[in-house]
């Protein structure tokens, strides 16, 4: 990836890396960037403070200017498709629907009052047969005769004391369970955290100790009775033993409150905060096997190179792109052992500047989204706290990566919905960073002035129709095979014309391109191709004379076949000539040139080099020509990437406006991209920009789809059908009027109806499992807020994520 001296070349072929569009930036690499902490200008309160189930992890929001070593050591656990993995922490377990605070407090109060009433009735002897269970298990001489007779002996009094303590414990336990005191404590005390939890537990412990020693709670006397029955009454003659027993009782009363108040954890945390860490302790976690120590180089025996890179990381002379680039370069070098030594020597010589991108750039001039270059993810938003989203995904970041883009992505939304700013540009930015790391090639196509990134963020910038453009576009895709060039060119020219067969159009073009290349050594330019398709006698005669002089008899037969078919019914040549005429305009003079002096940019270079290419189309003055070129670039990309043999480089085409660019052949090509480590990102204003016969094939060919706010119900219906259905539980409540038979009951019902104005009814609840659409057409059209999109993701391995409502902040 070192510079090979090709900077500044105007054109590019498949085997030459084009130079940067602008001079390289300064050699000092920037630190790991991060977006500003403040809200976006003009953001609504909902956008500035999206709701989520729990607090975000500190690592999920990278700190501006954070050191690269800390960024490198941040965990990135494997997660479901689309989860922002950088510093991810799972949300707390989902809590079942609980009762309201008012109902909880009223229930606890009623339970407490009921328990106090029962205990008062017990102590005052108003409950009959209260001593019968005790008398069944104790000698009869301990008790007075009768079911209500009290204790006669001291042993009976002691047994009654223990019996009452056991009943009190059962009553307190039942009161706590019925009144749901555990939920009340968790919701109003434990959830407030420390130190409120510890203080509340201490206050409750102090009150309980007071009630225990005042003998309002039956604790002390039962314990003393039990100890005396086991060890004998003589044990109380020692004051020391009595003090020990009292201390054990006090400790036993305090222990539950200490557990509830987490006193031990609080004291340990305060001690850890107050005690300064000894020297060298902070560096202990960074072991020799941590990520910032480059363990892969040390394992291979290049400890010196690993030490050099570790020093570069620690001193801030490397950024995240350098780390990703060198890791990828080392991975490639391990497959060819002869490259290990040169790479290690380059690291020792230049440090983090080793294995540079051919442009010499080590980062983009500026970033507008949050990136994790190590995993290739770009964060485009956060899953909303919406019932349509699974609980585990609510509040988590949503990110795109090559594993998702490899299935291709279709984004549909009206103008102003944010497709370019919030989705297309972050994706282009992420692919450009990955290209600087030597892992991807990106071709971004949009209208002139589209915010796809600054010029110095790309290696090649093609401005079609602009006289100052440094590069051209090769209409034939850099191929030398006339049949291959004809097939791709026919798809770009008339692939959207349903009445024409693209195969016949390709045959017509091949009958002209083959003879012309055989005669001149290159394909015809746009004016020459137009003349040949129009059947201009002078052009055909000149081509025939050149073929006869060179002795290309096979090509003469091709030209004769074209002459015989010209003007026949269904001849596609006139339609092809009309489409070529769109490119034969004064604004395009000097573009699409061929011959030895022409140096256009060929898409074939994308499959061999980590290039960053942007194509600006003249949509304002030449809208039809721009659509033709978009269709041609899409056809060339699908054909070139499918034919390449080395698929280690991820190639991606991003179309900011794919209106009338999708054809039946390109849909089949998009379906094949995932098997060759490539993908396409297509943005449409509506699905109707694609022929109706291709709606279902297109939605089935792409693995990732995004429906932005503002789409129509017709588009929503297509997405709803593509996303399928799911089983949900429904509850149906039917109210039935209650008819009373008894006169007193009827009188009560009449009185209630007179007071409330409603008849007495009873509810019949029916719970069923039904199959419903994940998102209905009406919900997609009217329930998606502004700045949001419903996104469904899939990976090349076949993993799927359900359609998620995402607040886009890319």
């Amino acid at each position: 990836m070192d510079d090979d001296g090709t900077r500044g070349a105007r054109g590019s072929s498949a085997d030459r890396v084009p130079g940067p569009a602008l001079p390289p930036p300064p050699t000092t690499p920037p630190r790991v960037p991060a977006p500003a902490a403040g809200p976006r200008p003009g953001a609504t309160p909902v956008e500035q403070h999206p709701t989520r189930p729990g607090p975000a992890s500190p690592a999920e929001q990278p700190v501006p200017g954070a050191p690269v070593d800390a960024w490198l050591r941040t965990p990135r656990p494997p997660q479901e498709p689309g989860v922002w993995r950088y510093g991810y922490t799972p949300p707390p377990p989902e809590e079942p629907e609980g009762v309201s605070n008012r109902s909880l407090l009223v229930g606890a109060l009623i339970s407490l009052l009921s328990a106090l009433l029962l205990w008062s009735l017990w102590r005052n002897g108003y409950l009959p047969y209260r001593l019968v269970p005790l008398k069944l298990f104790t000698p009869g001489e301990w008790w007075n005769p009768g079911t209500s007779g009290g204790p006669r002996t001291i042993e009976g009094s002691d047994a009654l004391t223990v019996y009452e303590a056991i009943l009190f414990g059962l009553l307190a336990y039942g009161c706590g369970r019925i009144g749901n005191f555990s939920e009340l404590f968790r919701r109003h005390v434990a959830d407030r955290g420390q130190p409120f939890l510890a203080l509340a537990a201490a206050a409750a412990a102090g009150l309980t100790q007071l009630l225990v020693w005042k003998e309002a709670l039956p604790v002390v006397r039962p314990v003393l009775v039990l100890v005396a029955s086991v060890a004998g009454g003589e044990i109380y003659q020692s004051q020391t033993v009595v003090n020990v027993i009292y201390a054990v009782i006090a400790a036993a009363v305090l222990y539950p409150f200490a557990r509830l108040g987490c006193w031990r954890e609080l004291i340990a945390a305060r001690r850890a905060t107050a005690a300064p860490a000894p020297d060298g302790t902070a560096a202990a976690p960074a072991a020799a096997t941590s990520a910032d120590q480059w363990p892969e180089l040390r394992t291979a025996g290049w400890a010196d190179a690993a030490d050099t890179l570790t020093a570069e990381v620690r001193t801030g002379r490397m950024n995240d792109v350098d780390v990703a680039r060198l890791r990828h370069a080392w991975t490639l070098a391990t497959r060819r052992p002869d490259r290990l030594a040169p790479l290690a020597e380059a690291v020792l010589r230049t440090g983090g500047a080793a294995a540079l991108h051919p442009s010499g750039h080590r980062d983009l001039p500026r970033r507008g989204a949050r990136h994790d270059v190590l995993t290739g993810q770009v964060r485009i938003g956060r899953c909303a706290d919406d019932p349509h989203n699974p609980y585990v995904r609510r509040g988590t970041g949503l990110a795109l990566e090559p594993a998702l883009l490899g299935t291709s992505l279709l984004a549909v939304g009206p103008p102003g919905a944010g497709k370019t700013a919030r989705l297309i540009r972050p994706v282009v930015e992420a692919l450009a960073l990955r290209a600087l790391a030597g892992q991807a090639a990106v071709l971004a196509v949009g209208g002139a002035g589209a915010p796809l990134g600054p010029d110095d963020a790309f290696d090649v910038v093609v401005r079609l129709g602009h006289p100052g453009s440094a590069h051209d576009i090769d209409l034939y895709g850099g191929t030398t095979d006339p049949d291959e060039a004809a097939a791709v060119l026919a798809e770009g020219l008339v692939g959207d014309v349903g009445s024409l067969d693209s195969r016949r159009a390709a045959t017509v073009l091949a009958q002209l391109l083959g003879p012309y290349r055989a005669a001149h050594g290159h394909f015809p330019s746009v004016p020459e191709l137009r003349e040949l398709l129009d059947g201009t006698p002078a052009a055909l005669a000149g081509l025939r004379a050149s073929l006869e002089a060179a002795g290309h008899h096979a090509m003469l037969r091709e030209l004769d076949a074209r002459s015989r078919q010209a003007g026949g019914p269904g001849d596609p040549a006139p339609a092809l000539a009309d489409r070529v005429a769109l490119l034969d305009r004064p604004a395009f003079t000097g573009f699409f040139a061929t011959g030895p002096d022409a140096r256009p940019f060929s898409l074939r270079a994308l499959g061999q080099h980590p290039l960053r290419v942007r194509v600006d189309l003249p949509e304002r003055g030449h809208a039809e020509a721009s659509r033709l070129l978009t269709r041609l670039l899409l056809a060339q990309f699908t054909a070139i990437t499918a034919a390449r043999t080395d698929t280690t480089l991820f190639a991606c085409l991003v179309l900011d406006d794919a209106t009338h660019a999708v054809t039946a052949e390109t849909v089949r090509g998009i379906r094949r991209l995932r098997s060759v480590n490539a993908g396409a990102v297509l943005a449409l204003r509506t699905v109707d920009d694609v022929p109706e016969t291709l709606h279902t094939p297109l939605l089935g060919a792409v693995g990732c789809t995004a429906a932005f706010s503002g789409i129509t119900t017709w588009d929503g219906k297509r997405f709803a059908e593509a996303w399928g259905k799911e089983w949900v539980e429904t509850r149906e409540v039917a109210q039935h009027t209650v008819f009373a038979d008894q006169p007193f009951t009827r009188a009560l019902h009449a009185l209630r109806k007179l007071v409330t104005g409603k008849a007495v009814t009873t509810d019949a609840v029916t719970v069923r499992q039904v199959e419903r659409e994940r998102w209905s057409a009406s919900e997609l059209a009217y329930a998606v807020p502004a700045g949001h999109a419903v996104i469904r993701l899939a990976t090349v391995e076949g993993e799927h994520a359900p359609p998620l409502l995402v607040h886009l902040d890319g």
Side-chain angles (χ1 to χ4, degrees):
M1 296 174 59
D2 291 330
D3 184 19
D4 57 358
T6 59
R7 299 185 188 178
R10 185 176 185 271
S12 174
S13 62
D15 56 351
R16 181 169 60 249
V17 184
L22 291 176
T27 57
T28 303
R31 302 295 295 273
V32 180
R40 302 189 315 275
T44 63
V46 175
E47 294 174 340
Q48 295 176 11
H49 302 285
T51 57
R52 47 197 174 97
S57 169
E60 187 176 347
Q61 309 291 339
V63 180
V68 180
D69 55 350
W71 167 83
L72 194 56
R73 291 195 303 268
T74 301
R76 297 165 175 84
Q79 293 297 324
E80 297 180 0
V83 176
W84 175 249
R85 294 166 50 192
Y86 179 82
Y88 173 81
T89 55
E94 185 176 8
E95 299 178 358
E97 295 184 3
V99 296
S100 62
N101 291 333
R102 179 178 178 180
S103 301
L104 190 64
L105 292 173
V106 171
L109 181 60
I110 292 176
S111 175
L112 179 62
L113 294 178
S114 301
L116 292 176
L117 176 61
L118 286 175
W119 184 246
S120 177
L121 294 175
W122 171 272
R123 294 297 299 268
N124 292 287
Y126 290 106
L127 294 180
Y129 310 108
R130 63 190 186 96
L131 299 180
V132 171
L134 180 61
K135 292 181 179 181
L136 292 176
F137 296 96
T138 55
E141 59 270 14
W142 289 4
W143 310 97
N144 294 319
T147 57
S148 302
R152 177 187 298 176
T153 63
I154 297 177
E155 290 81 0
S157 299
D158 293 342
L160 180 60
T161 301
V162 176
Y163 180 59
E164 288 183 345
I166 295 175
L167 291 180
F168 179 82
L170 294 176
L171 181 62
Y173 177 77
C175 173
R177 292 297 301 271
I178 296 175
N180 204 0
F181 278 85
S182 60
E183 176 65 17
L184 185 66
F185 174 79
R186 185 196 63 80
R187 188 179 300 184
H188 295 282
V189 179
D191 286 351
R192 295 191 179 187
Q194 299 288 9
F196 181 82
L197 175 61
L199 294 176
L207 178 61
T208 304
Q209 289 280 6
L210 179 62
L211 295 177
V212 166
W213 296 113
K214 291 292 185 179
E215 296 190 0
L217 299 179
V219 176
V220 178
R221 287 180 59 83
V223 172
L224 296 177
V225 168
L226 288 175
V227 172
S229 63
V230 174
E234 297 81 3
I235 193 174
Y236 295 119
Q237 295 179 1
S238 174
Q239 185 63 35
T240 303
V241 173
V242 174
N243 294 337
V244 170
I245 294 175
Y246 285 165
V248 170
I249 294 175
V253 172
L254 283 178
Y255 179 74
F257 296 98
R259 290 290 302 273
L260 291 175
C262 300
W263 295 352
R264 183 176 181 181
E265 291 80 359
L266 179 62
I267 295 173
R270 292 297 177 89
R271 288 180 177 177
T273 304
D279 296 339
T281 304
T289 56
S290 61
D292 63 327
Q293 295 284 332
W294 301 86
E296 58 271 18
L297 273 70
R298 299 182 186 277
T299 304
W302 297 96
D304 294 342
D307 293 338
T308 300
L309 293 180
T310 301
E312 293 271 308
V313 169
R314 295 286 177 82
T315 56
R317 292 194 296 268
M318 287 180 63
N319 60 7
D320 52 351
V321 179
D322 295 331
V323 173
R325 186 186 69 251
L326 288 173
R327 281 194 164 194
H328 178 68
W330 186 263
T331 302
L332 295 180
T334 53
R335 301 174 186 174
R336 298 182 60 179
D338 58 314
R339 294 186 178 181
L340 288 176
L343 178 60
E345 293 175 359
V347 169
L348 292 174
R349 185 175 64 255
T350 60
L356 271 181
H357 186 265
S359 65
H361 295 185
R362 299 173 65 177
D363 200 354
L364 297 179
R366 55 183 175 274
R367 304 185 191 181
R370 301 172 188 171
H371 300 271
D372 185 18
V373 188
L374 205 60
T375 58
Q377 287 190 318
V378 53
R379 188 180 183 279
I380 63 172
R382 181 180 296 275
C383 297
D385 187 7
D386 187 86
H388 287 91
N389 293 343
Y391 173 79
V392 295
R393 299 301 299 269
R394 298 176 191 174
T396 61
L398 188 81
L400 296 176
E401 56 183 314
L404 300 172
L405 299 178
T407 63
S408 298
L409 186 148
L410 176 66
V412 178
K419 299 188 301 297
T420 301
R422 301 184 178 184
L423 180 65
I424 299 299
R425 174 157 183 175
V427 169
V428 174
E429 205 172 78
L431 292 172
L433 288 171
R434 203 160 180 82
L436 290 178
Q439 305 176 41
V442 56
L443 171 62
V445 181
L452 299 180
D455 293 350
D456 49 358
F458 296 91
D459 303 310
V460 176
V461 177
V462 181
R463 296 184 178 90
L464 293 175
H466 193 284
S469 177
H471 300 276
D472 303 336
I473 283 292
D474 188 355
L475 290 180
Y476 306 100
T479 183
T480 57
D481 184 1
D483 293 328
E484 181 182 351
V488 175
L489 186 58
E491 195 65 33
L493 291 177
V494 295
D496 62 326
V497 182
S499 59
L500 287 180
D501 186 0
S502 59
R503 290 175 295 182
R504 290 195 60 188
T507 302
V508 171
L509 288 172
Q511 291 172 344
L512 296 174
L513 296 181
Y516 191 94
R517 179 170 179 80
H520 300 283
H522 58 83
F523 291 121
S525 62
V526 169
E528 293 168 335
L529 180 59
R530 180 183 180 184
E531 291 179 354
L532 293 174
L533 290 172
D534 283 334
T536 305
L540 294 176
L543 179 58
R544 183 181 299 275
S546 300
L547 292 174
E548 291 175 350
H552 295 291
H553 301 290
M555 293 302 171
L556 281 172
R557 288 195 299 269
E558 288 284 302
L559 191 60
D560 292 339
R562 173 85 287 272
S563 300
R564 290 193 303 270
Q565 298 170 3
D571 183 19
L576 289 171
D578 292 341
R579 289 299 179 88
V580 173
L582 295 174
L583 304 179
D584 189 17
R585 306 296 302 162
F588 300 123
T589 302
F591 288 86
F592 318 120
T594 58
D597 297 333
R599 304 175 67 182
F601 171 75
S602 171
L603 265 65
R604 199 167 295 273
L606 289 174
Q608 303 176 9
H609 307 289
L611 293 177
R612 303 165 295 164
V613 184
R614 195 189 76 205
V615 178
D616 295 343
L617 301 176
E619 290 185 346
R620 294 184 178 179
H622 304 274
E624 194 62 32
S626 298
R627 294 174 181 175
L628 187 153
L629 291 171
T630 302
R631 192 163 52 248
L632 177 62
L633 291 174
L634 178 58
Q636 286 186 359
F637 180 81
T638 55
I640 290 171
T641 53
R644 62 177 181 163
T645 57
D646 185 7
T647 60
T648 57
L649 198 68
F650 178 74
C652 189
L653 169 67
V654 182
L655 297 181
D656 185 47
D657 185 5
T659 303
H660 301 295
V662 179
T663 64
E665 184 61 32
T666 53
V667 168
R668 287 189 287 268
I670 290 173
R671 190 178 289 111
R672 293 191 298 265
L673 291 179
R674 67 178 65 191
S675 62
V676 292
N677 196 23
V681 179
L682 311 177
L684 295 171
R685 294 182 178 90
T686 174
V687 182
D688 290 331
D689 289 340
V690 177
E692 186 176 359
T693 56
L694 297 179
H695 290 174
T696 301
L698 177 60
L699 289 172
V702 298
C704 304
T705 49
F708 283 72
S709 61
I711 64 173
T712 62
T713 53
W714 292 274
D715 288 342
K717 179 181 179 182
R718 299 182 182 97
F719 280 109
E721 293 175 351
W723 292 339
K725 300 179 180 180
E726 63 179 347
W727 289 97
V728 297
E729 183 180 277
T730 61
R731 295 170 59 90
E732 297 180 358
V733 180
Q735 293 184 340
H736 303 283
T737 304
V738 178
F739 297 95
D741 296 331
Q742 301 298 326
F744 180 73
T745 308
R746 277 185 289 179
L748 291 178
H749 287 186
L751 179 61
R752 179 176 176 181
K753 185 177 180 180
L754 181 64
V755 174
T756 61
K758 297 181 181 179
V760 179
T761 59
T762 181
D763 295 340
V765 181
T766 304
V767 180
R768 296 187 303 171
Q769 292 284 338
V770 298
E771 195 176 18
R772 288 185 177 177
E773 294 175 332
R774 300 178 184 272
W775 281 83
S776 67
S778 298
E779 289 175 331
L780 289 173
Y782 303 110
V784 180
H788 291 66
V790 181
I791 301 178
R792 182 252 189 188
L793 301 174
T795 65
V796 292
E797 290 83 8
E799 297 183 62
H800 294 270
L804 302 171
L805 179 62
V806 181
H807 172 252
L808 300 170
D809 55 5

